[in-house]
Amino acid sequence: MSETAERLDDVKRAMNASAEEAGRPASDITLVAVSKTHDAETIRPVLDAGQRIFGENRVQEAQGKWPALREDYPDTELHLIGPLQSNKAADAVALFDVIETVDREKIARELAKEIEKQGKTPRLLVQVNTGKEEQKAGIMPEDAVAFVARCRDEYGLTIDGLMCIPPVDDNPGPHFALLDKLANEAGLSTLSMGMSADFETAIRFGATHIRVGSAIFGERDYG
Ligand SMILES: *Cc1c(COP(=O)(O)O)cnc(C)c1O
């Protein structure tokens, strides 16, 4: 077994153990393998090991490697987990099955336009800036519930759930709890939260999707 396939196995084992501890069925939690910065040859063994759901944070980078990989693994599901610029909305709708980072009116409007034009229906999550960090994307927590309603009422978009990235130095638990509370208020069931360092905590707090990169692929080299 390749090194990445072994690490994938370890992550799945840890996921299942956390689910069991939390009294949740393991099938309620989806692993999104975050392959950003890694080339097709690094991703292939993970596909060969059966993983089919992947996250990328840049539209252009994903366009460079996934169309070819998808020819060999057509049932792959791709999640956009990085900030979306409005001039990339068309490309994002064309390529991604799930867009996790809807975070402002302008993006909602562009996505609605492209979804209509392309006749595609990517699943959508709203990113919430739970730590109110200036440099981070995401709608402010106090605006999240109203924004979800506006996406529906103003733009005809169906929002499936919420996503967050807690501040690196914070205890993530309260951020996960806040995301869960906001999703409940908005009547949403999908919660994308938890990365390599904190996915076990996220599962305790109700994550339905965890986004795990380095624990599977190793450290990233941003060159
Ligand atoms: C890179 C990234 C991840 C994965 O982070 P790891 O710590 O490598 O698991 C998860 N979510 C988002 C939004 C990311 O950009």
Side-chain angles (χ1 to χ4, degrees), residues 34 36 57 81 163 165 195-197 211-215 220 222:
V34 177
K36 67 188 186 198
N57 73 335
I81 61 170
M163 174 271 211
I165 313 167
M195 324 203 307
S196 292
R211 310 178 309 267
V212 178
S214 45
R220 284 179 291 275
Y222 286 96

Side-chain angles (χ1 to χ4, degrees), residues 154-177:
E154 193 73 22
Y155 302 106
L157 296 173
T158 301
I159 302 294
D160 280 1
L162 304 179
M163 174 271 211
C164 77
I165 313 167
V168 275
D169 295 326
D170 271 19
N171 173 8
H175 295 274
F176 298 153

